[in-house]
Amino acid sequence: MRLGWEVLIGLGLGIGGVLGVLGFACSEAASTLRSGRVHVEGESIIGLHYRKDVTIVRTTDGDYWVHYVCEPRAGFEDRCPCREVVRRVGASVVEEFVRQVQVLRDEGESAKCCDHPWTEFELVFADGHTERRTVAFEPIAVETILRLECPESG
């Protein structure tokens, strides 16, 4: 049985739509990121250990400014080797970050339960659509993928 090009295109569009519904976006969407936010609550049964916030904003030339803040509770300073970093980051680095976020499954409010950290991601794209995910733990090491190494002065 031979399928005509119309059927093959329709089949391809259908599969693409299904993947989009499942949370898999085209890599092209990553290059249109306008801004992003990551919020981590490092909790356990004894309370909050640390909090991380990352803000990503696209520049007019296509790179990004990333502002990272990590606030530890007394006794948990090891969770925040860098307390604050502001760095210009290349588009390819942020695109990889977006790809990693887009494959995560949104666990919603259930991700915030129990005795573990949880992470919220919010991505805002140039076309106006927003993607949000809340996940248990810290599935993406934002410090590593966004290359937010501490300056020598700490």
Side-chain angles (χ1 to χ4, degrees), residues 37-41 51-54 118-122:
R37 187 183 73 76
V38 180
H39 178 76
V40 178
E41 291 282 328
R51 177 176 288 133
K52 296 178 185 179
D53 284 294
V54 181
W118 52 269
T119 306
E120 289 180 323
F121 298 95
E122 180 179 52

Side-chain angles (χ1 to χ4, degrees), residues 25-33 58 95 98-99 102 125 129:
C26 298
S27 60
E28 213 175 296
S31 65
T32 61
L33 183 73
R58 189 177 179 109
E95 288 168 7
V98 170
R99 280 190 286 278
Q102 288 179 320
F125 295 88
H129 86 278

Side-chain angles (χ1 to χ4, degrees), residues 29-36 55-67 86-95 98 124-126 146:
S31 65
T32 61
L33 183 73
R34 182 173 49 203
S35 64
T55 304
I56 303 167
V57 178
R58 189 177 179 109
T59 65
T60 55
D61 66 0
D63 282 342
Y64 293 85
W65 279 107
V66 177
H67 182 207
V86 176
R87 179 145 312 132
R88 188 177 176 101
V89 177
S92 63
V93 172
V94 173
E95 288 168 7
V98 170
V124 179
F125 295 88
L146 293 174

Side-chain angles (χ1 to χ4, degrees), residues 43-115:
E43 296 180 321
S44 77
I45 197 163
I46 63 170
L48 182 68
H49 296 218
Y50 62 96
R51 177 176 288 133
K52 296 178 185 179
D53 284 294
V54 181
T55 304
I56 303 167
V57 178
R58 189 177 179 109
T59 65
T60 55
D61 66 0
D63 282 342
Y64 293 85
W65 279 107
V66 177
H67 182 207
Y68 167 89
V69 176
C70 188
E71 301 169 337
R73 189 175 110 195
F76 294 95
E77 291 84 4
D78 64 322
R79 296 296 194 162
C80 296
C82 289
R83 301 295 165 85
E84 184 171 19
V85 177
V86 176
R87 179 145 312 132
R88 188 177 176 101
V89 177
S92 63
V93 172
V94 173
E95 288 168 7
E96 178 57 29
F97 166 75
V98 170
R99 280 190 286 278
Q100 288 189 26
V101 169
Q102 288 179 320
V103 298
L104 297 173
R105 185 179 63 83
D106 183 18
E107 300 172 48
E109 289 298 310
S110 66
K112 298 179 181 181
C113 82
C114 312
D115 184 19

Side-chain angles (χ1 to χ4, degrees), residues 6-28:
E6 298 94 346
V7 173
L8 291 174
I9 289 174
L11 184 61
L13 291 173
I15 291 171
V18 168
L19 289 175
V21 168
L22 293 174
F24 296 96
C26 298
S27 60
E28 213 175 296

